[in-house]
Amino acid sequence: MKTTRTLAGFDVFPIGLGCMSLSHGYGPAASPDAAEALLLGALDRGVTLFDTAALYGFGHNEEILGRVLAPHRSRFMLASKCGIFREDGRRRIDGRPETLRRTCEDSLRRLRTDVIDLYYLHRWDKSVPIEDSVGALADLARAGKIRAIGLSEVSADTLRRAHAVHPVAAVQSEYSLWSCEVEIAVLGACRELGTALVAFSPLGRAFLADGLPDVARLHDTDLRRRMPRFQPEAYARNLALLEPLRRMARDHGCTPGQLALAWLLHQGEDVIPIPGTTRLAHLEENLGAAGVRLDAEARDELARLFARDRVAGERYGPATQAEVDTERFPAS
């Protein structure tokens, strides 16, 4: 495999850093010192893609990146997202052009930069034509506020509609051994259009990194508490998938998480995973996946192990699923 991958005209290390967990998602935010150590540690270890969003910690995550990484701005590619934010204490999806322009200015201020390299529409606001939202992002690109446009959790049809307005450099969607919905249509559309696929939750929200000790003890604010795959009955069934994954990892001289990331890296040079973590040891482990080589037989065996009918539970509950535009597998 190549030592770099191309994203929106930038050459980046094959594995980026998803920064959400520094602020929210899987429990309390990291302390300022821990967040700084993680971000600078990532930079020093060769990470060149840092991914954040206005949503993460409702601005807190962008502020951390701005404070810690602004002095090193020339050393990395910065990605952020708009279209979901907090207003009057509530989470809101809003893709109106005037809102996207305003939230971009807010993000630039928090990130302490003049330009965002890759700016995603975090969710398509289905009350606004995708052409209007992407048109607003195109205006921001022409104004020099952003360099490239991305979309998150969209269908192949929506991607094509958006791309007709302005080139879409990347689609960010969940993609891992146990979440392969992008293979239905989006990945093919990305390749048709020359769009990269940025894979969030490539470790299955820690499941593929050898599971969780006890899902019943997850923090009250942990997103996984509301996800079908992490409900006790489904999770108990899913645990049966881990021992074969551990066995294959031992055979390849790596950890289960590294094996899962390596499988994703082998899906194509246009696939860029962005695992998140708050711990330097986990960061180093994740980056080590770039050196794991898998032959076709091993890749096929992993795909069979995590075939859709072997995974218990959907990736999202009904309310969250209604917010996304991605294709879905038929109910099993």
Side-chain angles (χ1 to χ4, degrees):
M1 288 188 293
K2 292 169 56 180
T3 56
T4 62
R5 299 197 167 187
T6 301
L7 177 62
F10 290 79
D11 288 331
V12 297
F13 188 77
I15 299 171
L17 179 64
C19 298
M20 181 184 79
S21 58
L22 294 175
S23 297
H24 85 183
Y26 304 116
S31 70
D33 288 346
E36 180 172 352
L38 190 283
L39 292 170
L40 293 178
L43 198 64
D44 289 344
R45 287 161 176 78
V47 173
T48 49
L49 170 61
F50 291 79
D51 183 276
T52 183
L55 172 67
Y56 301 161
F58 299 117
H60 175 262
N61 204 252
E62 289 182 327
E63 289 173 352
I64 294 172
L65 267 67
R67 175 177 61 82
V68 175
L69 294 181
H72 311 281
R73 185 66 182 86
S74 63
R75 295 173 58 188
F76 65 92
M77 180 180 184
L78 176 62
S80 192
K81 308 177 196 72
C82 61
I84 315 181
F85 58 95
R86 182 171 63 179
E87 186 172 76
D88 299 327
R90 299 182 62 184
R91 177 181 178 278
R92 180 178 171 191
I93 297 176
D94 187 342
R96 293 175 297 171
E98 61 270 25
T99 301
L100 302 185
R101 287 190 288 267
R102 173 170 54 82
T103 54
C104 181
E105 294 295 340
D106 292 341
S107 290
L108 289 167
R109 172 179 50 78
R110 289 190 292 261
L111 291 163
R112 304 186 189 186
T113 188
D114 295 327
V115 61
I116 298 169
D117 299 317
L118 175 58
Y119 201 44
Y120 293 94
L121 185 66
H122 204 162
R123 291 290 184 272
W124 174 30
D125 177 353
K126 296 172 186 176
S127 69
V128 178
I130 190 65
E131 292 83 357
D132 292 355
S133 295
V134 172
L137 298 181
D139 289 341
L140 290 171
R142 284 188 284 269
K145 305 287 185 179
I146 66 175
R147 289 196 169 102
I149 291 172
L151 301 175
S152 181
E153 292 275 51
V154 297
S155 67
D157 179 65
T158 302
L159 169 59
R160 291 190 179 96
R161 288 171 54 194
H163 194 81
V165 175
H166 187 280
V168 176
V171 168
Q172 185 171 142
S173 200
E174 186 169 0
Y175 191 21
S176 70
L177 276 170
W178 79 346
S179 293
C180 294
E181 285 83 355
V182 297
E183 295 178 357
I184 299 171
V186 170
L187 188 56
C190 284
R191 288 170 174 165
E192 170 192 322
L193 300 171
T195 299
L197 193 290
V198 175
F200 76 80
S201 296
L203 290 171
R205 304 181 189 275
F207 177 79
L208 299 170
D210 215 15
L212 304 168
D214 185 357
V215 291
R217 299 178 63 184
L218 292 173
H219 193 272
D220 289 346
T221 61
D222 195 307
L223 295 173
R224 291 169 292 191
R225 278 190 168 273
R226 303 187 297 276
M227 292 180 170
R229 288 180 184 173
F230 292 92
Q231 299 310 300
E233 182 178 348
Y235 194 73
R237 291 174 57 193
N238 288 328
L239 286 175
L241 300 170
L242 288 181
E243 186 49 43
L245 183 67
R246 293 177 185 129
R247 173 184 53 76
M248 288 191 66
R250 288 193 296 269
D251 291 345
H252 284 81
C254 64
T255 67
Q258 288 174 330
L259 188 65
L261 287 172
W263 178 85
L264 199 54
L265 288 169
H266 281 77
Q267 298 314 299
E269 298 287 347
D270 52 353
V271 176
I272 302 166
I274 51 168
T277 184
T278 60
R279 301 181 185 180
L280 279 170
H282 289 171
L283 172 71
E284 290 180 342
E285 177 185 335
N286 292 342
L287 298 181
V292 176
R293 299 293 178 263
L294 301 177
D295 60 23
E297 183 179 355
R299 297 197 300 271
D300 290 345
E301 184 177 352
L302 284 165
R304 286 192 297 269
L305 172 62
F306 286 88
R308 181 66 191 94
D309 60 358
R310 302 193 67 193
V311 177
E314 299 294 329
R315 66 189 185 105
Y316 287 142
T320 305
Q321 184 62 49
E323 293 180 350
V324 303
D325 179 50
T326 44
E327 291 87 358
R328 300 174 67 185
F329 290 114
S332 57

Short mmCIF file of all heavy atoms in Angstrom, two decimals, residues 18 54 89 98 159 161 189 254 256 275:
data_model
loop_
_atom_site.label_atom_id
_atom_site.label_comp_id
_atom_site.label_asym_id
_atom_site.label_seq_id
_atom_site.Cartn_x
_atom_site.Cartn_y
_atom_site.Cartn_z
N GLY A 18 -10.10 11.08 14.24
CA GLY A 18 -11.41 11.62 14.54
C GLY A 18 -11.39 12.17 15.96
O GLY A 18 -11.06 11.45 16.91
N ALA A 54 -18.59 21.32 14.29
CA ALA A 54 -19.24 22.27 15.18
C ALA A 54 -20.08 21.56 16.23
O ALA A 54 -20.24 22.03 17.35
CB ALA A 54 -20.11 23.24 14.37
N GLY A 89 -29.87 25.75 23.54
CA GLY A 89 -29.65 24.56 24.34
C GLY A 89 -30.06 23.26 23.69
O GLY A 89 -29.99 22.20 24.33
N GLU A 98 -27.94 30.64 4.73
CA GLU A 98 -27.54 31.68 5.68
C GLU A 98 -26.99 31.09 6.97
O GLU A 98 -26.07 31.64 7.60
CB GLU A 98 -28.71 32.62 5.98
CG GLU A 98 -29.93 31.97 6.60
CD GLU A 98 -30.95 31.46 5.60
OE1 GLU A 98 -30.56 31.17 4.44
OE2 GLU A 98 -32.14 31.35 5.97
N LEU A 159 -25.40 12.33 -3.35
CA LEU A 159 -24.03 12.69 -3.73
C LEU A 159 -23.98 13.18 -5.17
O LEU A 159 -23.36 14.21 -5.47
CB LEU A 159 -23.12 11.49 -3.53
CG LEU A 159 -21.70 11.60 -4.13
CD1 LEU A 159 -20.96 12.78 -3.53
CD2 LEU A 159 -20.93 10.29 -3.92
N ARG A 161 -26.37 14.47 -7.02
CA ARG A 161 -27.04 15.78 -7.12
C ARG A 161 -26.14 16.90 -6.61
O ARG A 161 -26.04 17.98 -7.23
CB ARG A 161 -28.34 15.76 -6.32
CG ARG A 161 -29.46 14.95 -6.94
CD ARG A 161 -30.63 14.83 -5.98
NE ARG A 161 -31.10 16.13 -5.50
CZ ARG A 161 -31.92 16.30 -4.47
NH1 ARG A 161 -32.36 15.22 -3.79
NH2 ARG A 161 -32.30 17.51 -4.10
N ALA A 189 -20.46 5.16 -6.17
CA ALA A 189 -20.67 6.52 -6.67
C ALA A 189 -19.45 7.40 -6.41
O ALA A 189 -19.08 8.23 -7.24
CB ALA A 189 -21.91 7.13 -6.02
N CYS A 254 -0.85 -9.00 15.06
CA CYS A 254 -1.36 -7.66 15.35
C CYS A 254 -2.52 -7.77 16.34
O CYS A 254 -2.90 -8.87 16.75
CB CYS A 254 -1.81 -6.96 14.07
SG CYS A 254 -3.21 -7.75 13.23
N PRO A 256 -6.64 -7.08 17.42
CA PRO A 256 -7.91 -7.09 16.69
C PRO A 256 -8.24 -5.75 16.05
O PRO A 256 -8.72 -5.70 14.91
CB PRO A 256 -8.93 -7.48 17.76
CG PRO A 256 -8.15 -8.29 18.74
CD PRO A 256 -6.80 -7.64 18.79
N PRO A 275 -10.19 6.73 13.02
CA PRO A 275 -10.53 6.28 14.36
C PRO A 275 -10.28 7.39 15.38
O PRO A 275 -9.38 8.22 15.21
CB PRO A 275 -9.58 5.10 14.59
CG PRO A 275 -8.42 5.37 13.69
CD PRO A 275 -9.01 6.04 12.48
#
